[in-house]
Amino acid sequence: MSVNCSRPVERYLMASLWSPGIFLVLVLALPLKTLPLVTLAETNVYIVYMGDKLHDEPELVQESHHELLADIVGSKDAAKESILYSYKHGFSGFAAVLTKSQEKLIADFPGVAGVVRNRIISSHTTRSWDFLQVKPQLAGRISKGHSGAGSIIGVMDTGIWPESKSFRDEGMAEVPSRWRGICQEGEGFNRSHCNRKIIGARWYVKGYEAEFGKLNTSDGDEFLSPRDAGGHGTHTSSTATGGPVESASFMGLAQGLARGGAPISLAGRLQSLLGYRWLR
C-alpha cells in the first residue's frame, strides 16, 4: 500500500518557509535594489543674499522670499518653516535651513547674488580709535561731529548690560521720530531697560538652535535676551557710544574719565554673538 504524503510535506515546508527566521533570511537574500533605502540629508543654515530690494514694502519683500524658496522646497508652507529670518529693510535676503543640494539649486536662481553657510567665528578686540584716527580728547573729528549728536549707532555683539553707568540717559534728547526699532524683551531684560540712550535692542538665536540645538542658559553664561552675559558687547558698545563716567578704573588701576567715541549718540543693540562667538 502506498502512502501519499505530498500534501503534509508541502504544508510543512510552507509553514517552515513562512516562519519568522526563514522569512528574515529570504528578505536579506533579496537584491538590495529591490529594497527602499531611506537616507536623511544633512541640513545647515544658509544666508541667501539677494542684493537691493525690489519692493519698498517689507511685507512684499518677505513674500518674495517665500515664493522663491517654495520652488525649491515644494510649497509656501514648507518655505515659511525653513526660513529663520527675512532681511527686508536695508537689503533683500533670508536665512534658511537647507540641504546642500537645495543650496546649490537656489544659488543658481535669477536674483540671488550669493549663498553662504552660517558659521561660527571668534570675536576680536581691535584698536578701534587708532583705526578711525580719532583722539580720545574732545578735539579733531569728534568735536566736528558734535560727539555724535543725532547719530544712531547699531552694535552687533554679545548684548548689553543696561545698568552700566555708560548708558544713562541724563541730558539726552528724545528718541528721534525716524527710529523704527523695538526693545525686545527676554530673560532678565524688559522694555524698561531701554531709554533715551539705549533706544532699541534685539536678540537672535534661531540660527544657532537650528544647527546646534536648544541653547542652555541654566548656568548663567548666556541669556535668551539682549542682556550681555560675557561683557564683550557692553565693552564695545561703551567704546563707541558710552557717556562720560567719572573716576572709572579697573580694580583701582588707571582711574580716570571713561567715555565713548560718540558719547551723546543713540545706541541700538543687536545680540548676535553668543559666548563670544558670532552667528551670522
Side-chain angles (χ1 to χ4, degrees), residues 1-270:
M1 184 176 82
S2 63
V3 178
N4 185 358
C5 60
S6 61
R7 292 202 176 276
V9 171
E10 180 181 328
R11 286 196 296 270
Y12 172 78
L13 289 174
M14 291 300 294
S16 299
L17 286 174
W18 287 107
S19 66
I22 299 298
F23 179 72
L24 177 62
V25 172
L26 290 174
V27 170
L28 293 178
L30 290 174
L32 289 178
K33 65 181 181 180
T34 65
L35 299 176
L37 297 178
V38 179
T39 58
L40 297 177
E42 180 182 356
T43 60
N44 296 104
V45 177
Y46 292 90
I47 294 92
V48 180
Y49 175 61
M50 302 177 67
D52 292 337
K53 300 178 297 177
L54 298 180
H55 308 282
D56 291 330
E57 294 295 327
E59 293 77 12
L60 294 178
V61 178
Q62 186 173 24
E63 180 66 17
S64 70
H65 300 160
H66 296 159
E67 291 176 353
L68 185 150
L69 191 57
D71 291 338
I72 298 291
V73 298
S75 69
K76 277 192 177 182
D77 287 339
K80 291 178 181 179
E81 185 176 347
S82 175
I83 292 178
L84 303 177
Y85 296 105
S86 280
Y87 311 120
K88 50 189 182 289
H89 296 287
F91 61 93
S92 178
F94 57 88
V97 178
L98 303 170
T99 64
K100 185 63 178 177
S101 60
Q102 290 171 338
E103 179 266 334
K104 289 182 178 179
L105 286 173
I106 204 167
D108 293 331
F109 266 49
V112 175
V115 181
V116 294
R117 181 178 168 180
N118 180 50
R119 62 193 179 98
I120 296 178
I121 60 177
S122 299
S123 56
H124 299 280
T125 300
T126 61
R127 296 179 175 85
S128 304
W129 300 127
D130 290 342
F131 174 77
L132 296 173
Q133 299 180 14
V134 173
K135 303 299 181 183
Q137 63 270 21
L138 285 174
R141 300 187 185 190
I142 290 182
S143 61
K144 291 178 182 178
H146 302 289
S147 298
S151 300
I152 298 175
I153 298 178
V155 181
M156 298 180 66
D157 213 293
T158 59
I160 193 167
W161 197 263
E163 291 83 4
S164 171
K165 293 181 179 180
S166 295
F167 309 120
R168 293 175 298 187
D169 65 354
E170 287 89 343
M172 298 291 296
E174 294 299 321
V175 177
S177 59
R178 70 181 189 276
W179 173 247
R180 294 291 183 269
I182 66 170
C183 191
Q184 185 179 9
E185 296 187 327
E187 292 179 353
F189 197 98
N190 54 52
R191 288 185 179 87
S192 66
H193 287 115
C194 291
N195 54 24
R196 290 176 297 175
K197 180 69 173 178
I198 305 173
I199 63 174
R202 302 195 69 154
W203 55 282
Y204 301 89
V205 75
K206 291 180 182 178
Y208 178 93
E209 293 190 339
E211 295 205 56
F212 305 105
K214 193 73 174 176
L215 180 67
N216 180 19
T217 62
S218 61
D219 54 7
D221 288 340
E222 300 289 356
F223 292 101
L224 290 175
S225 76
R227 181 169 288 278
D228 182 16
H232 191 276
T234 301
H235 167 69
T236 56
S237 297
S238 63
T239 301
T241 70
V245 179
E246 298 283 352
S247 301
S249 69
F250 177 72
M251 306 293 288
L253 300 175
Q255 185 171 352
L257 175 69
R259 47 151 291 176
I264 59 174
S265 61
L266 308 172
R269 299 300 190 275
L270 302 175

